[in-house]
């Protein structure tokens, strides 16, 4: 195998002691698969040495210490021979062996339908199969400018793919830098909760992560590095907001009105608009009477005021979803007193590795051991791939719907409850407050290594599970009239997730206003295209948030491949525009709502959840298996669309 494969690793020149030290840190099952690549010897995975099970967020693998030591001894010999032989790789494993390696690593058969998706994700052949080439002539491509709204993970990805396809684009970003949510959320303790060796672009792996679940500055800097490596920054307008976008049927183009920080307004013309604004970018401040009267500093978690010194102060944190859950343990040791207002208790997934550092040996392995990083990516992906969806399904025959939606869900509830109970110790009052009263995984499940309850048990921390009646100059008063005087209030109260593309005004064909068409029920075919809005493509649009596993980056890669495929089809057919057929969209929407009705997130006992709109319906989540979404978005089926052409005459295309 040639070194041109970027995943084959750098040549190894380190001495034995350095290699042996590195092997102390690595994932042992992943190491064994790298050894198969290195030696061509499949018998390595056909003997007694094998993983005993697979769990989400695995670091070193589930093998006995003796077995791990045995593998390290074998590995040291094999790596030494590989190094001394000039780091020449034998022929790559054939498809059958790759299948065997996949199933061996995850301790269960990987069904046929998953293999192509996983192979694509892993890029063992070194090819980035999600990249779409557009072979239209350069003048046709040049005449197809695209505006991308937002430069978070999906907008940056859109820029990269458009650049590769030779399509001119401008990214409009309201912030001064890249990252979107990873730029805006700089609150203390902010970190990702999908393992970073998977939560990064499939074609841009990083061997630099210093923690398995990196903190915000490291993630933001990853996106910044990728942006510079691909030269995307020259096509980004920073500190600029899209005010409106209006479709012009005569020119088959979008007129995109933008406003920069100095209030200068301008209109860009684009043949297509890609919305990459995310779902969680407009803070939600609670509607609590008197909120504006508080005399001290107060701010939303996504607008953290770093000029405010919270040390030795009395702080209130209102809200304990994923954001509050990270803020509280981080600031608790430094504040004089911390009052946490939690309306609904949260289910937590035990993850002992949540704050774990990536050892230098892992970074070395990522750089040097052939395909180590690719197999580790698969190891992280697989346990969060579709198993969680099956577990979220409501079993109507299950008799105890008040506490769980199925037998599996009941077991999850027991496991999670045991995790909470063990940590609450003898504090029964606290335990009563922190065990949720709705089915497990019914809201966004949080990653926990014990830091949440450790923080709540501190003497300077109080958990309040009561509603807030009002706020005044000095603090907060609960429904039962208890005062909590504080110096600082932090609102970790989430986002206006159901208001997609808000507050922009998007006007499509025949003066249709998107916010009117959607109301409180935003929907898009495959979460990407919307009837009446030609050449408008959403990334992380309605119905695409993942509550059951995977990663939004995986989803974004699916979406941008589909979108680039749409642009390719428009240019190849010399079409002016495309939009989904209403009946295709409506059937998809109805099917999606049926699916969502049968999943735990719709459970009626869940009163408050950002997954639900005011009527309790869900429009933000995907109910689909990742493998299905991947299959559906590999390329657009043009029969799903109304394709319009300029001549003859513009309106002659079927509807
Ligand atoms: P959130 O999950 O919507 O949580 C908001 C919190 O504020 C909840 O505790 C909510 O209570 C409470 N709240 C809202 N309105 C309130 C009111 N009027 N009075 C009292 N309490 C109120 O928001 P978030 O924590 O910012 O997280 C949002 C999403 O962002 C997450 O689900 C996740 O997808 C993402 N996120 C990810 C990470 C990560 O990867 N590590 C970190 C942060 C956020 P109820 O529960 O009763 O509604």
């Amino acid at each position: 195998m040639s070194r041109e494969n970027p995943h084959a690793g750098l040549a190894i020149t380190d001495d034995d002691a350095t290699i042996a030290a590195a092997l102390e840190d690595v994932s042992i099952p992943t190491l064994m698969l790298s050894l198969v690549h290195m030696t061509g010897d499949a018998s390595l995975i056909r003997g007694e040495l094998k993983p005993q099970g697979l769990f989400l967020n695995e670091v070193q693998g589930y093998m006995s210490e003796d077995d791990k030591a045995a593998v390290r001894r074998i590995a040291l010999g094999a790596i030494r021979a590989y190094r001394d032989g000039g780091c020449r790789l034998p022929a790559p494993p054939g498809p059958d062996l790759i299948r065997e390696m996949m199933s061996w690593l995850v301790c269960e058969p990987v069904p046929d339908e998953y293999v192509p998706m996983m192979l694509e994700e892993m890029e063992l052949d070194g090819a980035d199969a999600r990249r779409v080439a557009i072979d239209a002539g350069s003048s046709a491509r040049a005449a197809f400018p695209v505006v991308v709204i937002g430069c978070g993970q999906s907008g940056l990805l859109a820029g990269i793919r458009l650049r590769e396809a030779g399509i001119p684009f401008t990214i409009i970003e309201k912030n001064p830098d890249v990252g979107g949510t990873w730029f805006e959320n700089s609150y203390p303790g902010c970190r990702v909760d999908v393992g970073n060796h998977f939560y990064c672009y499939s074609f841009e792996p990083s061997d630099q992560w210093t923690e398995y679940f990196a903190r915000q500055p490291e993630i933001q800097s990853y996106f910044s590095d990728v942006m510079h490596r691909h030269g995307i920054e020259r096509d980004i307008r920073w500190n600029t907001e899209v005010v409106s976008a209006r479709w012009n049927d005569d020119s088959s183009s979008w007129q995109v009105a933008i406003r920069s920080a100095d209030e200068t307004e301008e209109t860009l013309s684009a043949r297509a608009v890609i919305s990459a604004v995310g779902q969680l970018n407009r803070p939600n401040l609670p509607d609590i009477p008197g909120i504006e009267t508080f005399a001290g500093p107060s701010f939303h978690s996504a607008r953290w005021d770093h000029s405010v010194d919270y040390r030795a102060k009395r702080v209130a944190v209102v809200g304990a979803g994923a954001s509050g859950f990270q803020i509280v343990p981080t600031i608790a040791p430094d504040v004089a007193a911390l009052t946490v207002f939690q309306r609904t208790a949260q289910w937590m997934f035990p993850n002992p590795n949540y704050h774990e550092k990536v050892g230098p040996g892992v970074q070395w392995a990522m750089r040097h051991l052939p395909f180590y990083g690719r197999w580790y990516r698969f190891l992280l992906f697989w346990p969060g791939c579709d198993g969680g969806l099956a577990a979220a399904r409501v079993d109507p025959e299950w008799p105890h719907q008040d506490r769980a939606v199925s037998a599996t869900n009941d077991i999850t509830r027991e496991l999670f409850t045991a995790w909470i109970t063990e940590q609450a110790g003898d504090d029964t009052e606290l335990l009563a407050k922190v065990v949720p009263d709705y089915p497990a995984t019914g809201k966004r499940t949080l990653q926990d290594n014990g830091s949440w309850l450790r923080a709540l048990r501190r003497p300077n921390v109080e958990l309040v599970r009561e509603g807030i009646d009002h706020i005044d100059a000095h603090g907060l008063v609960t429904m039962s009239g208890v005062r909590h005087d504080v110096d600082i209030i932090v609102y970790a109260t989430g986002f206006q997730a159901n208001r997609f593309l808000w507050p922009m005004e998007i006007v499509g064909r025949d003066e249709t206003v998107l916010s009117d068409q959607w109301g409180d029920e935003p929907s898009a075919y495959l979460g990407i295209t919307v009837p009446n809005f030609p050449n408008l493509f959403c990334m992380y649009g309605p119905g695409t948030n993942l509550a059951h596993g995977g990663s939004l980056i995986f989803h974004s890669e699916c979406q941008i491949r589909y979108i680039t495929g749409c642009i390719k089809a428009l240019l190849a057919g010399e079409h002016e525009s495309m939009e989904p057929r209403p009946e295709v969209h409506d059937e998809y929407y109805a099917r999606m709502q049926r699916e969502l009705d049968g999943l735990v997130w719709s459970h009626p006992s869940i009163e408050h959840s950002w997954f639900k709109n005011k009527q309790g319906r869900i429009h933000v989540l995907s109910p689909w298996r990742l493998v299905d979404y991947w299959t559906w978005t590999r390329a657009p089926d043009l029969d799903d669309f109304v394709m319009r052409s300029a001549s003859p005459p513009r309106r002659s295309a079927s509807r």
Side-chain angles (χ1 to χ4, degrees):
M1 183 173 295
S2 110
R3 287 280 146 205
E4 280 156 28
N5 187 321
H7 309 304
L10 301 174
I12 299 174
T13 53
D14 304 274
D15 60 23
D16 289 7
T18 306
I19 297 168
L23 298 183
E24 291 300 318
D25 291 346
V26 301
S27 154
I28 299 298
T30 311
L31 168 67
M32 288 179 77
L33 294 191
S34 178
L35 292 180
V36 173
H37 285 276
M38 226 180 288
T39 61
D41 181 3
S43 71
L44 283 164
I45 57 163
R46 290 178 183 152
E48 294 297 309
L49 293 171
K50 57 182 162 205
Q52 303 303 310
L54 175 72
F55 296 91
L56 195 57
N57 307 317
E58 203 165 274
V59 168
Q60 284 222 323
Y62 288 85
M63 292 172 78
S64 70
E65 289 309 313
D66 285 351
D67 281 0
K68 285 182 187 169
V71 174
R72 289 190 186 105
R73 276 194 298 278
I74 295 168
L76 186 57
I79 297 169
R80 188 191 292 131
Y82 172 71
R83 176 197 64 197
D84 297 345
C87 296
R88 271 188 290 277
L89 284 171
D96 291 343
L97 179 53
I98 293 285
R99 287 284 302 272
E100 186 183 341
M101 292 161 83
M102 280 183 172
S103 297
W104 178 89
L105 186 62
V106 300
C107 308
E108 63 178 339
V110 173
D112 285 350
E113 62 176 333
Y114 284 88
V115 172
M117 179 175 93
M118 289 301 177
L119 284 176
E120 187 188 279
E121 178 77 19
M122 290 164 73
E123 285 188 10
L124 290 176
D125 58 1
D128 175 4
R130 292 187 185 146
R131 178 178 180 154
V132 176
I134 296 184
D135 40 21
S138 56
S139 55
R141 281 182 281 135
F144 201 94
V146 174
V147 163
V148 179
I149 312 174
C151 198
Q153 61 85 7
S154 61
L156 173 62
L157 175 64
I160 293 170
R161 292 314 198 192
L162 292 171
R163 169 68 51 70
E164 288 167 352
I167 299 291
F169 64 90
T170 306
I171 302 180
I172 308 298
E173 170 53 59
K174 66 177 165 29
N175 294 324
D177 207 346
V178 67
T181 199
W182 292 117
F183 175 83
E184 292 180 6
N185 286 275
S186 62
Y187 59 75
C190 182
R191 68 169 78 225
V192 69
D193 60 10
V194 176
N196 265 117
H197 295 100
F198 172 45
Y199 189 83
C200 56
Y201 301 122
S202 61
F203 57 93
E204 276 287 358
S206 170
D207 53 28
Q208 306 285 323
W209 301 116
T210 61
E211 293 178 281
Y212 286 94
F213 298 86
R215 289 179 236 207
Q216 175 263 340
E218 195 167 336
I219 301 170
Q220 202 267 336
S221 119
Y222 165 81
F223 288 119
S224 181
D225 289 348
V226 171
M227 173 181 74
H228 290 297
R229 206 158 32 249
H230 289 261
I232 303 301
E233 70 281 7
R234 65 174 186 259
D235 290 306
I236 304 173
R237 303 275 289 264
W238 302 113
N239 296 310
T240 304
E241 285 206 47
V242 171
V243 180
S244 66
R246 182 174 282 274
W247 175 254
N248 182 324
D249 228 2
D250 295 328
S251 59
S252 292
S253 65
W254 284 97
Q255 304 305 306
V256 183
I258 59 173
R259 185 169 50 221
S260 50
D262 64 3
E263 300 288 312
T264 311
E265 301 209 352
E266 197 184 327
T267 300
L268 306 179
S269 183
R271 291 295 315 285
V273 168
I274 298 177
S275 161
V277 297
Q279 293 192 3
L280 302 165
N281 59 35
R282 299 287 169 179
N284 170 51
L285 280 176
D287 193 11
I288 301 173
I291 186 168
E292 71 293 345
T293 62
F294 181 64
S298 66
F299 42 85
H300 187 270
S301 52
R303 301 285 181 271
W304 193 272
D305 185 344
H306 291 277
S307 70
V308 175
D309 185 359
Y310 57 78
R311 284 170 303 175
K313 302 276 174 33
R314 297 167 304 164
V315 180
V317 174
V318 180
S323 301
F325 199 76
Q326 294 181 328
I327 293 167
V328 167
T330 311
I331 66 171
D334 298 327
V335 300
L338 181 57
T339 315
V340 183
F341 293 85
Q342 186 179 38
R343 189 166 59 182
T344 312
Q346 301 279 359
W347 286 110
M348 309 175 243
F349 179 87
N351 177 4
N353 300 318
Y354 192 29
H355 293 176
E356 204 66 13
K357 298 237 176 306
V358 175
V362 170
Q363 295 184 333
W364 180 90
M366 293 276 168
R367 272 170 223 146
H368 292 95
L369 294 184
F371 305 99
Y372 177 93
R374 306 320 287 177
W375 284 106
Y376 191 62
R377 187 178 183 94
F378 171 62
L379 185 73
L380 295 184
F381 192 177
W382 182 257
C385 180
D386 294 342
L389 188 60
R393 200 163 293 287
V394 178
D395 172 5
E397 305 296 317
W398 174 251
H400 311 292
Q401 293 288 336
D402 52 330
R403 62 167 199 247
V405 298
S406 65
T408 310
N409 188 243
D410 208 26
I411 293 170
T412 307
R413 183 191 182 101
E414 276 173 25
L415 288 173
F416 287 5
T417 305
W419 171 250
I420 296 170
T421 309
E422 182 191 313
Q423 294 175 66
D426 53 8
D427 192 340
T428 48
E429 200 184 321
L430 178 65
L431 185 64
K433 288 183 187 172
V434 293
V435 177
D437 57 2
Y438 55 90
T441 72
K443 292 172 57 133
R444 157 85 183 217
T445 308
L446 307 175
Q447 300 280 329
D448 180 51
N449 62 350
S451 56
W452 173 247
L453 281 162
R454 259 198 311 279
L456 294 187
R457 296 186 71 187
R458 293 178 62 92
N460 66 335
V461 177
E462 181 185 2
L463 176 65
V464 177
R465 283 292 313 278
E466 226 201 315
I468 301 162
D469 180 71
H470 67 275
I471 294 175
D472 60 24
H474 309 289
L476 309 92
V477 180
T478 64
M479 294 295 180
S480 64
V482 180
R483 283 202 68 84
H484 297 270
D485 285 353
V486 295
D487 304 311
I488 301 167
I489 304 180
V490 175
Y491 296 104
T493 41
F495 300 87
Q496 310 201 30
N498 216 49
R499 301 176 83 176
F500 284 83
L501 282 113
W502 181 79
M504 289 175 276
E505 186 181 54
I506 313 289
V507 184
R509 205 165 33 73
D510 302 329
E511 297 296 309
T512 314
V513 179
L514 189 61
S515 54
D516 292 345
Q517 176 164 313
W518 275 347
D520 203 19
E521 300 182 338
S523 65
Y525 176 50
L526 296 171
I528 302 175
T529 58
V530 186
N532 299 321
F533 293 83
N535 297 3
L536 173 69
F537 303 100
C538 299
M539 298 184 72
Y540 195 14
T544 61
N545 187 52
L546 289 168
H548 62 275
S551 120
L552 288 177
I553 292 187
F554 166 78
H555 246 199
S556 294
E557 291 189 5
C558 293
Q559 288 150 10
I560 194 62
R561 165 155 70 181
Y562 184 87
I563 294 167
T564 326
C566 288
I567 295 174
K568 179 177 180 157
L570 283 164
L571 292 178
E574 297 183 16
H575 302 293
E576 296 286 301
S577 71
M578 64 194 293
E579 62 181 287
R581 293 183 182 282
E583 64 276 17
V584 170
H585 165 273
D586 294 353
E587 186 277 332
Y588 176 81
Y589 175 69
R591 192 155 44 92
M592 184 162 117
Q593 285 297 311
R594 272 198 307 278
E595 284 293 310
L596 285 163
D597 281 346
L599 293 165
V600 64
W601 314 304
S602 297
H603 198 273
S605 67
I606 303 166
E607 196 183 344
H608 301 291
S609 159
W610 71 263
F611 296 164
K612 291 181 173 179
N613 68 6
K614 289 195 177 66
Q615 292 72 43
R617 309 289 305 167
I618 297 180
H619 291 83
V620 298
L621 294 183
S622 168
W624 308 125
R625 297 189 314 160
L626 298 178
V627 70
D628 290 330
Y629 194 72
W630 175 81
T631 304
W632 299 336
T633 53
R634 289 188 77 177
D637 177 350
L638 298 191
D639 288 343
D640 292 342
F641 290 91
V642 181
M643 309 293 296
R644 289 198 175 79
S645 300
S647 60
R650 178 184 299 281
R651 286 270 184 193
S652 67
S654 63
R655 274 230 65 173

